[in-house]
Amino acid sequence: MRRSLLRLAESVTSRPLKLQESKGSLLPPIPLYRRLLRAHRHLIPEMRLLGDDYVKAEFRRHREVTNAAQVIGFLSQWQAYLNQMPKGAGGEEFRGKKLDPIMYEKMSTEQLGQLYELKNATKEVWKSPQDPKDSEGSSS
């Protein structure tokens, strides 16, 4: 994100937002990015790899955003995700949660496409090598 956006995000942290998802104030982009990657250290390796790649790609895509509302929304959603992550290696196993139907309805066509791609990518990661469907297709 450009320097002016960093200052914009930093100025937001001095006063609490009135968003239900945020617990207090927002972290600036760089510290939030670092905390997300640190939180992923406690996931199993496959989930960590997928999560790290996704976080890095999303922060790269939003680097040039100039709309303040989009920046605040972006940061608040990532902070809400961070607040759901397990705290430390001894924490509970992270299982995720179902997507809120209201959020699903608000998504654009592009976002729905990205969600579908993410769904397919996670199926590939979690596919077992002993999957019976794979052995049927390779024997013919």
Side-chain angles (χ1 to χ4, degrees), residues 1 4-29 32 59 62 65-80:
M1 292 185 195
S4 61
L5 289 177
L6 291 175
R7 275 189 251 130
L8 174 65
E10 288 171 351
S11 68
V12 170
T13 62
S14 64
R15 63 183 190 276
L17 292 173
K18 294 181 181 177
L19 297 171
Q20 289 179 349
E21 292 82 17
S22 67
K23 303 227 192 270
S25 55
L26 288 176
L27 290 169
L32 178 61
F59 272 77
H62 290 81
V65 173
T66 57
N67 184 335
Q70 287 180 343
V71 171
I72 291 170
F74 177 79
L75 295 175
S76 65
Q77 289 299 313
W78 277 110
Q79 189 157 337

Coordinates of all heavy atoms in Angstrom, one line a residue, residues 1 4-29 32 59 62 65-80:
M1 N 0.8 -1.2 0.0 CA 0.0 0.0 0.0 C 0.9 1.2 0.0 O 2.0 1.2 0.6 CB -0.9 0.0 1.2 CG -1.9 -1.1 1.2 SD -3.1 -0.9 2.6 CE -3.8 -2.5 2.5
S4 N 0.6 7.0 1.8 CA -0.5 7.8 2.3 C -1.6 6.8 2.9 O -2.3 7.1 3.8 CB -1.2 8.6 1.2 OG -1.6 7.8 0.1
L5 N -1.7 5.6 2.3 CA -2.7 4.7 2.8 C -2.2 4.1 4.1 O -3.1 3.8 5.0 CB -2.9 3.5 1.8 CG -3.7 3.9 0.5 CD1 -3.8 2.8 -0.4 CD2 -5.1 4.4 0.9
L6 N -0.9 3.9 4.2 CA -0.4 3.5 5.5 C -0.8 4.5 6.6 O -1.2 4.1 7.7 CB 1.1 3.2 5.5 CG 1.6 2.1 4.6 CD1 3.1 2.1 4.5 CD2 1.1 0.8 5.1
R7 N -0.6 5.7 6.3 CA -0.9 6.8 7.3 C -2.4 6.8 7.6 O -2.9 6.9 8.7 CB -0.5 8.1 6.8 CG 1.0 8.4 7.2 CD 1.4 9.8 6.9 NE 2.2 9.8 5.8 CZ 2.1 10.5 4.7 NH1 1.2 11.4 4.6 NH2 3.0 10.3 3.7
L8 N -3.2 6.5 6.5 CA -4.7 6.5 6.7 C -5.1 5.3 7.6 O -5.8 5.5 8.6 CB -5.4 6.3 5.4 CG -6.9 6.1 5.4 CD1 -7.6 7.3 5.9 CD2 -7.4 5.8 4.0
A9 N -4.5 4.2 7.4 CA -4.8 3.0 8.2 C -4.3 3.2 9.6 O -4.9 2.8 10.6 CB -4.1 1.8 7.6
E10 N -3.1 3.9 9.8 CA -2.6 4.1 11.1 C -3.5 5.1 11.9 O -3.7 5.0 13.1 CB -1.2 4.7 11.0 CG -0.2 3.6 10.6 CD 1.2 4.1 10.3 OE1 1.4 5.4 10.3 OE2 2.1 3.3 10.1
S11 N -4.1 6.1 11.2 CA -4.9 7.1 11.9 C -6.2 6.4 12.4 O -6.8 6.9 13.3 CB -5.2 8.3 11.0 OG -6.0 7.8 9.9
V12 N -6.6 5.4 11.7 CA -7.9 4.7 12.1 C -7.6 4.0 13.5 O -8.6 3.9 14.2 CB -8.3 3.7 11.0 CG1 -9.4 2.8 11.5 CG2 -8.7 4.4 9.8
T13 N -6.4 3.6 13.7 CA -6.2 2.8 15.0 C -6.3 3.7 16.2 O -6.5 3.1 17.3 CB -4.8 2.2 14.9 OG1 -3.8 3.2 14.9 CG2 -4.6 1.2 13.8
S14 N -6.3 5.0 16.1 CA -6.4 5.8 17.3 C -7.8 5.9 17.8 O -8.1 6.3 18.9 CB -5.9 7.2 17.0 OG -6.7 7.8 16.0
R15 N -8.8 5.6 17.0 CA -10.2 5.6 17.5 C -10.9 4.3 17.1 O -10.7 3.8 16.0 CB -11.0 6.8 16.9 CG -11.1 6.8 15.4 CD -11.8 8.1 14.9 NE -12.1 8.0 13.5 CZ -11.3 8.2 12.5 NH1 -10.1 8.6 12.8 NH2 -11.7 8.1 11.3
P16 N -11.7 3.7 18.0 CA -12.4 2.5 17.7 C -13.4 2.6 16.5 O -14.1 3.6 16.4 CB -13.1 2.1 19.0 CG -12.9 3.2 19.9 CD -12.0 4.2 19.3
L17 N -13.5 1.5 15.7 CA -14.5 1.5 14.7 C -15.8 1.0 15.2 O -15.8 0.3 16.2 CB -14.0 0.6 13.5 CG -12.8 1.0 12.8 CD1 -12.3 0.0 11.8 CD2 -13.1 2.3 12.0
K18 N -16.9 1.3 14.5 CA -18.2 0.8 14.9 C -18.6 -0.4 14.1 O -19.7 -0.5 13.7 CB -19.2 1.9 14.8 CG -18.9 3.0 15.8 CD -20.0 4.1 15.7 CE -19.6 5.2 16.7 NZ -20.5 6.3 16.6
L19 N -17.7 -1.3 13.8 CA -17.9 -2.5 13.1 C -18.0 -3.7 14.1 O -17.2 -3.8 15.0 CB -16.8 -2.8 12.1 CG -16.6 -1.8 11.0 CD1 -15.4 -2.1 10.2 CD2 -17.8 -1.7 10.1
Q20 N -19.0 -4.6 13.9 CA -19.1 -5.7 14.9 C -17.9 -6.6 14.8 O -17.6 -7.2 15.9 CB -20.4 -6.5 14.5 CG -21.7 -5.7 14.8 CD -22.9 -6.6 14.5 OE1 -22.8 -7.6 13.8 NE2 -24.0 -6.1 14.9
E21 N -17.3 -6.8 13.7 CA -16.3 -7.7 13.5 C -15.0 -7.3 14.2 O -14.2 -8.1 14.7 CB -15.9 -8.0 12.1 CG -17.0 -8.7 11.3 CD -18.1 -7.8 10.8 OE1 -17.9 -6.6 10.8 OE2 -19.2 -8.3 10.5
S22 N -14.7 -6.0 14.3 CA -13.5 -5.5 14.8 C -13.6 -5.4 16.4 O -14.6 -5.0 16.9 CB -13.1 -4.2 14.2 OG -14.0 -3.2 14.7
K23 N -12.6 -5.9 17.0 CA -12.5 -5.8 18.5 C -11.6 -4.6 18.9 O -10.4 -4.8 19.1 CB -12.0 -7.1 19.0 CG -12.7 -8.3 18.6 CD -13.0 -9.2 19.8 CE -13.5 -10.5 19.4 NZ -14.9 -10.7 19.2
G24 N -12.2 -3.4 18.9 CA -11.4 -2.3 19.3 C -11.0 -1.5 18.0 O -11.8 -1.1 17.2
S25 N -9.7 -1.4 17.8 CA -9.2 -0.6 16.7 C -8.4 -1.5 15.7 O -8.0 -2.6 16.1 CB -8.3 0.5 17.2 OG -7.3 0.0 18.0
L26 N -8.2 -1.0 14.5 CA -7.6 -1.8 13.5 C -6.1 -1.7 13.6 O -5.5 -0.6 14.0 CB -8.0 -1.3 12.1 CG -9.4 -1.6 11.7 CD1 -9.7 -0.9 10.3 CD2 -9.6 -3.1 11.5
L27 N -5.4 -2.7 13.2 CA -3.9 -2.7 13.1 C -3.6 -2.1 11.7 O -4.3 -2.3 10.8 CB -3.4 -4.2 13.1 CG -3.5 -4.9 14.5 CD1 -3.1 -6.3 14.3 CD2 -2.5 -4.2 15.5
P28 N -2.5 -1.5 11.6 CA -2.0 -1.0 10.3 C -1.7 -2.2 9.4 O -1.5 -3.3 9.9 CB -0.7 -0.2 10.7 CG -0.8 0.1 12.1 CD -1.6 -1.0 12.7
P29 N -1.6 -2.0 8.1 CA -1.4 -3.2 7.2 C -0.2 -4.1 7.5 O -0.4 -5.3 7.5 CB -1.3 -2.5 5.8 CG -2.0 -1.2 6.0 CD -1.8 -0.8 7.4
L32 N -0.4 -6.1 10.7 CA -1.5 -7.1 10.6 C -1.0 -8.2 9.7 O -1.3 -9.4 10.0 CB -2.8 -6.4 10.0 CG -3.9 -7.4 9.7 CD1 -4.4 -8.0 11.0 CD2 -5.1 -6.6 9.0
F59 N -2.9 -9.3 0.0 CA -2.3 -8.0 0.4 C -1.6 -7.4 -0.8 O -1.6 -6.2 -1.0 CB -1.3 -8.2 1.5 CG -1.9 -8.1 2.9 CD1 -2.7 -9.1 3.4 CD2 -1.8 -6.9 3.6 CE1 -3.3 -9.0 4.7 CE2 -2.4 -6.8 4.9 CZ -3.2 -7.9 5.4
H62 N -4.3 -5.7 -3.0 CA -4.9 -4.5 -2.4 C -3.8 -3.4 -2.1 O -4.1 -2.4 -1.4 CB -5.7 -4.9 -1.1 CG -6.9 -5.6 -1.5 ND1 -6.9 -7.0 -1.7 CD2 -8.2 -5.2 -1.6 CE1 -8.1 -7.4 -2.0 NE2 -8.9 -6.3 -1.9
V65 N -4.9 0.1 -3.5 CA -6.3 0.6 -3.3 C -6.2 2.0 -2.7 O -5.5 2.2 -1.7 CB -7.0 -0.4 -2.4 CG1 -8.4 0.2 -2.0 CG2 -7.2 -1.7 -3.1
T66 N -7.1 2.9 -3.2 CA -7.1 4.3 -2.7 C -8.4 4.6 -1.9 O -8.4 5.6 -1.2 CB -6.8 5.3 -3.8 OG1 -7.9 5.1 -4.8 CG2 -5.5 5.1 -4.4
N67 N -9.4 3.8 -2.1 CA -10.7 4.1 -1.4 C -10.6 3.7 0.0 O -10.3 2.6 0.4 CB -11.7 3.2 -2.1 CG -13.1 3.5 -1.6 OD1 -13.3 4.0 -0.5 ND2 -14.1 3.3 -2.4
A68 N -10.8 4.7 0.9 CA -10.6 4.6 2.3 C -11.6 3.5 2.9 O -11.2 2.7 3.8 CB -10.8 5.9 3.1
A69 N -12.8 3.5 2.4 CA -13.8 2.5 2.9 C -13.3 1.1 2.5 O -13.5 0.2 3.4 CB -15.2 2.8 2.3
Q70 N -12.8 0.9 1.4 CA -12.3 -0.4 1.0 C -11.1 -0.8 1.8 O -11.0 -2.0 2.2 CB -11.9 -0.5 -0.5 CG -13.1 -0.4 -1.4 CD -12.6 -0.5 -2.9 OE1 -11.5 -0.2 -3.2 NE2 -13.6 -0.8 -3.7
V71 N -10.2 0.1 2.1 CA -9.0 -0.2 3.0 C -9.5 -0.6 4.4 O -9.0 -1.6 4.9 CB -8.1 1.0 3.0 CG1 -7.0 0.8 4.1 CG2 -7.5 1.3 1.7
I72 N -10.4 0.1 4.9 CA -10.9 -0.2 6.3 C -11.6 -1.5 6.3 O -11.5 -2.3 7.2 CB -11.8 1.0 6.8 CG1 -11.0 2.2 7.0 CG2 -12.6 0.5 8.1 CD1 -11.8 3.4 7.3
G73 N -12.5 -1.8 5.3 CA -13.2 -3.1 5.2 C -12.2 -4.2 5.0 O -12.3 -5.3 5.7
F74 N -11.2 -4.0 4.2 CA -10.2 -5.1 4.0 C -9.4 -5.4 5.3 O -9.3 -6.6 5.7 CB -9.2 -4.6 2.9 CG -8.0 -5.5 2.6 CD1 -8.2 -6.6 1.8 CD2 -6.8 -5.3 3.2 CE1 -7.1 -7.5 1.6 CE2 -5.7 -6.1 2.9 CZ -5.9 -7.2 2.1
L75 N -9.0 -4.3 6.0 CA -8.2 -4.5 7.2 C -9.1 -5.1 8.3 O -8.7 -6.0 9.1 CB -7.6 -3.2 7.7 CG -6.5 -2.6 6.8 CD1 -6.1 -1.3 7.3 CD2 -5.3 -3.6 6.6
S76 N -10.4 -4.7 8.4 CA -11.2 -5.2 9.5 C -11.6 -6.6 9.2 O -11.6 -7.4 10.2 CB -12.5 -4.3 9.6 OG -13.3 -4.5 8.4
Q77 N -11.8 -7.1 8.0 CA -12.1 -8.5 7.7 C -10.8 -9.4 8.0 O -11.0 -10.5 8.6 CB -12.5 -8.7 6.3 CG -13.9 -8.1 6.0 CD -14.9 -8.8 6.8 OE1 -15.0 -10.0 7.0 NE2 -15.8 -8.0 7.4
W78 N -9.6 -8.9 7.7 CA -8.5 -9.7 8.0 C -8.2 -9.7 9.5 O -7.8 -10.7 10.0 CB -7.2 -9.2 7.3 CG -7.2 -9.7 5.9 CD1 -7.4 -9.0 4.7 CD2 -6.9 -11.1 5.5 NE1 -7.3 -9.9 3.6 CE2 -7.0 -11.1 4.1 CE3 -6.7 -12.3 6.2 CZ2 -6.8 -12.3 3.3 CZ3 -6.5 -13.4 5.4 CH2 -6.6 -13.4 4.1
Q79 N -8.5 -8.6 10.2 CA -8.3 -8.6 11.7 C -9.4 -9.6 12.3 O -9.0 -10.3 13.3 CB -8.5 -7.2 12.2 CG -8.1 -7.2 13.7 CD -7.6 -5.8 14.1 OE1 -7.2 -5.0 13.3 NE2 -7.7 -5.5 15.4
A80 N -10.6 -9.6 11.8 CA -11.6 -10.5 12.3 C -11.1 -12.0 12.1 O -11.3 -12.8 13.0 CB -12.9 -10.3 11.6

